Amino acid sequence: MYFKHLTFYIFSFMKKKIVIIGGGLSGILTGYLLKKQNYSVQIIEANNRLGGRIYTRNINNTKVEMGATWLWKYNSELINLCKELNIELYTQNMEGYALFEAMNANHPQKFELPKNQEISYRISNGTSSLIEKISNKFDDNEILLNEKVTEIIEVNNKVTIITDKAEYSSEYVITTIPPNLLINTVKFTPSLPSNLITVAKNTHTWMKDSIKFAVVFKKPFWKDHKLSGVGFSHVGPFSELYDHSNKNNSSFALMGFINSNLYSIDKKDREEKIIKQLIKFFGDEVKDYISYEEEVWRLAPFTNFIDNSYIMPHQNNGHSLYQKSYLNNKLHISGTETSTSFGGYMEGAVIRAKEIALILKNN
């Protein structure tokens, strides 16, 4: 019995410790893969929830996506992950007429959607079920919420991670914070290379320009009028709109994107504008809505760093400098923006998580 406990102690002691900053898809998947490689994993998340830009809200048993929503048949890594986790996919509803609003003075016009368009899929029970399934692989003490990393120090081949609440020592650290946010909010000792800092400050953060909204209803009245729930507008306030009913057609919503220039007005004002536009599209039945939900990603402090500079969508995503390690090979910069394939999407987050896990496999 003594030797059994001694062997367990030595085995546990020999585990290499790694700290992962960020509890989004890339962060928790990396942690899960490294746990299987016998790493001692600690995930530190600044927000009060896991998921990052995967964010499903449950409103009256209707799950609405405020972040990542769709995947496609060419997202093979993500699809395989869903299969591994026994997560079911279903086709985004596009049946019926779509509506297009060209000018304020005119009513939206009906048109038929192309029959050969690319099929998009959604995740049953909400995209956050991905996060929930993976996070269930961890013990409670392996995931820390509400802790913001402020500094990372490498001295004598060891890394110290300082948060607003505590300090942690580790052999390696992986950050999955969007690079632009990382470089502007975390201090590094020694300093990171100047060329990396320049690239990071000019790397586009996925979703940062998006305002997503969803309106929950008791019934899908648009379907009664042979409408798909799909809508487009050149005059706003929303630019795109989609049916957001669940797989079983037992809960109903419309979900879309608001003109990003409206981030600075009050939520109530945006709600009034959206409802008014929906009434123009679908009629007075819209007035009987259950809930209006939105997420202004530009104002999400643990996603975006506001500097008012324009960065083109996907600019510097997957840059070669993100493929290198730093701080004496103890720091790896990860997350979907650093993936050379599908950078800025869920697929990119999965690909990058697997790449980092493979890099550390032989360390």
Side-chain angles (χ1 to χ4, degrees), residues 338-355:
T338 70
S339 178
T340 56
S341 300
F342 298 97
Y345 297 100
M346 288 189 286
E347 177 78 355
V350 175
I351 290 171
R352 191 60 174 149
K354 291 187 173 183
E355 287 176 350

Side-chain angles (χ1 to χ4, degrees), residues 230-339:
V230 176
F232 301 98
S233 174
H234 279 177
V235 295
F238 68 71
S239 55
E240 297 178 46
L241 186 72
Y242 300 94
D243 179 286
H244 210 52
S245 305
N246 67 353
K247 180 179 184 295
N248 300 322
N249 280 313
S250 59
S251 62
F252 313 102
L254 293 169
M255 183 274 290
F257 296 85
I258 299 176
N259 187 314
S260 60
N261 293 327
L262 296 178
Y263 79 91
S264 60
I265 68 174
D266 292 337
K267 176 184 176 181
K268 190 63 180 175
D269 291 338
R270 279 191 296 270
E271 179 177 350
E272 289 176 356
K273 289 177 182 295
I274 291 297
I275 297 302
K276 182 178 179 180
Q277 189 180 11
L278 287 176
I279 291 171
K280 185 177 180 182
F281 268 62
F282 300 106
D284 287 342
E285 288 173 287
V286 169
K287 295 178 181 178
D288 192 27
Y289 67 99
I290 296 172
S291 178
Y292 168 86
E293 303 293 322
E294 69 169 26
E295 184 68 20
V296 184
W297 286 102
R298 176 187 175 91
L299 303 179
F302 306 125
T303 297
N304 183 44
F305 178 79
I306 300 177
D307 59 5
N308 294 319
S309 61
Y310 176 72
I311 301 177
M312 290 179 61
H314 302 292
Q315 181 173 312
N316 285 324
N317 284 181
H319 195 281
S320 59
L321 289 177
Y322 297 136
Q323 316 313 312
K324 300 180 180 181
S325 58
Y326 298 91
L327 301 186
N328 198 22
N329 295 321
K330 298 298 181 181
L331 170 68
H332 295 272
I333 300 176
S334 187
T336 184
E337 283 83 9
T338 70
S339 178

